[in-house]
Amino acid sequence: MQSRSSMLWTFGITSVALFMVSLDNLVVTTALPVIRRDLHATISQLEWTVNAYTLTFAVLLLTGAALGDRFGRRRMFVLGLLLFTGASAFAALSTSANMLDLARAIQGVGGAIVTPLTLTILSAGVAREQRGLALGIWGGIGGLAIAIGPLVGGAIVNGVAWNWIFWINVPIGLVLAPLAWRRLEETRGSDSALDMPGVALASIGLLGIVWGLVRGNDHGWTSAGIVTPIVVGALLVAAFVRWELRAKNPMLPMHFFRDRTFALTNVASLLMFFGMFGSIFLLAQFFQTVQHYSPLQSGLRILPWTAMPIFIAPIAGALSDRIGGQRLMTVGLTLQAAGLFWIAAVQTATVSYSELIGPFMLSGAGMALFYAPVANVVLSSVRPEHEGKASGANNAIRELGGVFGVAVLAAVFSRVGGYQSGEAFAHGTTTAVWVGAAVVLGGALAASLIRPRREPAYEPAYSGAAT
């Protein structure tokens, strides 16, 4: 076990890194209207501004964990930080929507290396009795960063320019990388194999599906250019599952899903991010596009939603060991779904802000209750040597939920509404949020079916070899 000073350094470094990487999930949302004008972007290019990051992030999370196990977690953590920092500079210098989307994809690769390693590095210095609290704070930090992304993005766009959303990462990364090299201890995992066929099948398959979903409205859902990538993508994902069942060292061990807790928690995570990401993608643009507020004013109006994790997540993390993380997740997802249903019920082009404060607060409370216990619930279902892959799997699955949420709800939005007028935008958004709310409610049902454990399934102490 690390000394108290070393543990504090570890917690501080991993927390800042997690916050920075997680922030970039949705930091661009309130900047999308400005980016659309400055770079003459289409709706599909705007979707890729979000999805290029989340897709590469999701697909490569498990590879990031495996690279840390093989080559050293501190070493790969630092390399991931430097890659993320360089890609942030590339994004800031972008002069076209396609250039920005490429930079976002590279950012996602760096984020995919950093994120799972923040958890495995942190878990090395946490005592068993502090596990729920530490992982609750870890989950809360990640959730908070994602939640306040629209506000931070709006403030930067309003005060400087959209490019500074990405420039701000550069000094943080350049300070954090050498600090991590000096202060973190090097560890490796017991499983050092890399499953490159699995990475290739999952990456290409998911890219094909998302590519088809994003372009479906523009090209026609029955056209060969849409049906072909979706079908081929689905076949490759099926081939990925088949390969993982037989692979000697799979990137995603399918036996994890035999555990009811692991399987249902990941279903709940997928559906939560589907509904939340897709809804925020549209709602963050609503105040600017329809009600003509500035990016900062738009971000501030979402604050009752996004600020709730600050107050609730630490308390929920501390309570998760006492009352059961699955109960908190169920309540959280139910509140999130109720908030989205409420938003969809009252939203019109001329809705007053006072009518949205209540559902925003309800959604924020639900989001915090979900984020805080989810990491502990997932890790309680696997053995210590599988923590890296289990954490990577959960992060990957929930990020994929976000990718599909943005793609599907944007497709719903484009089908029934659009940017033609305020009324068209509001109608499309309302319809999409109804769908998102129903999906999150499905996640609440999945969480409610998790059976509480009276004792952990294993001794949750770190078992990797220090070097």
Side-chain angles (χ1 to χ4, degrees):
M1 187 65 63
Q2 297 177 344
S3 68
R4 181 176 178 82
S5 174
S6 180
M7 186 172 67
L8 289 174
W9 274 109
T10 299
F11 182 80
I13 291 169
T14 55
S15 295
V16 173
L18 177 67
F19 187 88
M20 179 177 68
V21 171
S22 299
L23 187 71
D24 271 60
N25 277 275
L26 289 175
V27 73
V28 299
T29 50
T30 41
L32 290 175
V34 178
I35 293 173
R36 183 166 69 93
R37 292 194 301 269
D38 286 1
L39 301 183
H40 309 290
T42 65
I43 180 64
S44 62
Q45 287 174 319
L46 290 181
E47 288 179 61
W48 281 114
T49 304
V50 176
N51 278 346
Y53 181 83
T54 51
L55 183 60
T56 54
F57 187 79
V59 170
L60 297 175
L61 270 168
L62 290 166
T63 305
L67 288 170
D69 286 347
R70 181 172 185 176
F71 297 111
R73 290 165 178 155
R74 182 187 64 177
R75 178 181 291 113
M76 294 310 304
F77 180 76
V78 171
L79 287 176
L81 282 172
L82 294 175
L83 180 60
F84 183 87
T85 302
S88 295
F90 181 26
L93 294 169
S94 296
T95 56
S96 70
N98 289 335
M99 183 178 175
L100 176 60
D101 293 346
L102 175 60
R104 291 281 286 165
I106 300 171
Q107 265 193 314
V109 176
I113 297 172
V114 170
T115 299
L117 295 180
T118 62
L119 183 58
T120 50
I121 290 170
L122 179 61
S123 68
V126 178
R128 176 177 177 177
E129 60 272 14
Q130 298 173 318
R131 187 181 184 84
L133 177 60
L135 295 184
I137 295 173
W138 181 89
I141 288 170
L144 173 63
I146 292 172
I148 69 170
L151 174 62
V152 173
I156 293 173
V157 172
N158 206 72
V160 193
W162 68 262
N163 313 71
W164 283 89
I165 289 173
F166 305 108
W167 278 128
I168 197 172
N169 292 330
V170 176
I172 297 173
L174 292 178
V175 170
L176 205 59
L179 194 61
W181 186 260
R182 287 182 55 119
R183 293 291 182 176
L184 297 181
E185 295 181 8
E186 184 64 282
T187 60
R188 287 182 171 85
S190 58
D191 185 0
S192 61
L194 294 177
D195 178 18
M196 296 313 297
V199 172
L201 288 170
S203 302
I204 299 172
L206 291 168
L207 178 61
I209 294 172
V210 176
W211 181 267
L213 290 173
V214 167
R215 294 160 56 88
N217 280 322
D218 292 336
H219 297 270
W221 290 99
T222 58
S223 67
I226 300 303
V227 173
T228 300
I230 291 177
V231 171
V232 171
L235 291 173
L236 289 174
V237 170
F240 164 75
V241 173
R242 183 178 178 84
W243 169 263
E244 296 299 284
L245 287 169
R246 298 184 176 187
K248 183 177 180 181
N249 296 291
M251 64 179 285
L252 178 57
M254 290 297 159
H255 67 80
F256 284 178
F257 292 95
R258 296 173 188 165
D259 184 276
R260 183 187 183 96
T261 297
F262 183 88
L264 288 174
T265 301
N266 280 288
V267 169
S269 297
L270 177 79
L271 299 181
M272 162 66 175
F273 269 60
F274 184 109
M276 185 197 72
F277 262 60
S279 299
I280 288 180
F281 174 77
L282 296 169
L283 289 169
Q285 299 180 64
F286 171 78
F287 291 114
Q288 293 179 69
T289 303
V290 179
Q291 299 192 339
H292 308 295
Y293 289 106
S294 70
L296 176 58
Q297 290 171 326
S298 300
L300 287 172
R301 277 162 175 75
I302 304 174
L303 195 60
W305 184 347
T306 58
M308 294 303 287
I310 299 174
F311 307 103
I312 295 177
I315 299 171
L319 290 176
S320 65
D321 287 332
R322 295 184 181 181
I323 65 176
Q326 75 287 340
R327 292 190 179 96
L328 290 176
M329 288 168 54
T330 302
V331 173
L333 288 166
T334 302
L335 293 178
Q336 177 77 85
L340 290 175
F341 278 126
W342 190 353
I343 292 168
V346 302
Q347 187 182 27
T348 64
T350 57
V351 64
S352 67
Y353 178 61
S354 61
E355 293 184 78
L356 294 173
I357 293 176
F360 280 0
M361 292 181 67
L362 192 65
S363 296
M367 186 164 53
L369 289 175
F370 170 81
Y371 276 131
V374 67
N376 200 23
V377 172
V378 167
L379 295 188
S380 72
S381 64
V382 300
R383 296 180 60 83
E385 60 268 25
H386 295 148
E387 284 183 354
K389 286 189 175 181
S391 169
N394 179 247
N395 281 288
I397 288 168
R398 70 186 194 181
E399 291 294 332
L400 286 174
V403 170
F404 287 115
V406 170
V408 172
L409 296 195
V412 172
F413 164 83
S414 297
R415 188 72 174 177
V416 302
Y419 289 92
Q420 310 92 286
S421 67
E423 289 73 18
F425 191 99
H427 179 60
T429 301
T430 298
T431 306
V433 174
W434 278 116
V435 175
V439 171
V440 175
L441 188 60
L445 176 61
S448 71
L449 297 175
I450 299 173
R451 294 171 181 167
R453 282 192 168 100
R454 294 184 180 275
E455 298 292 339
Y458 62 88
E459 175 66 32
Y462 175 70
S463 62
T467 60

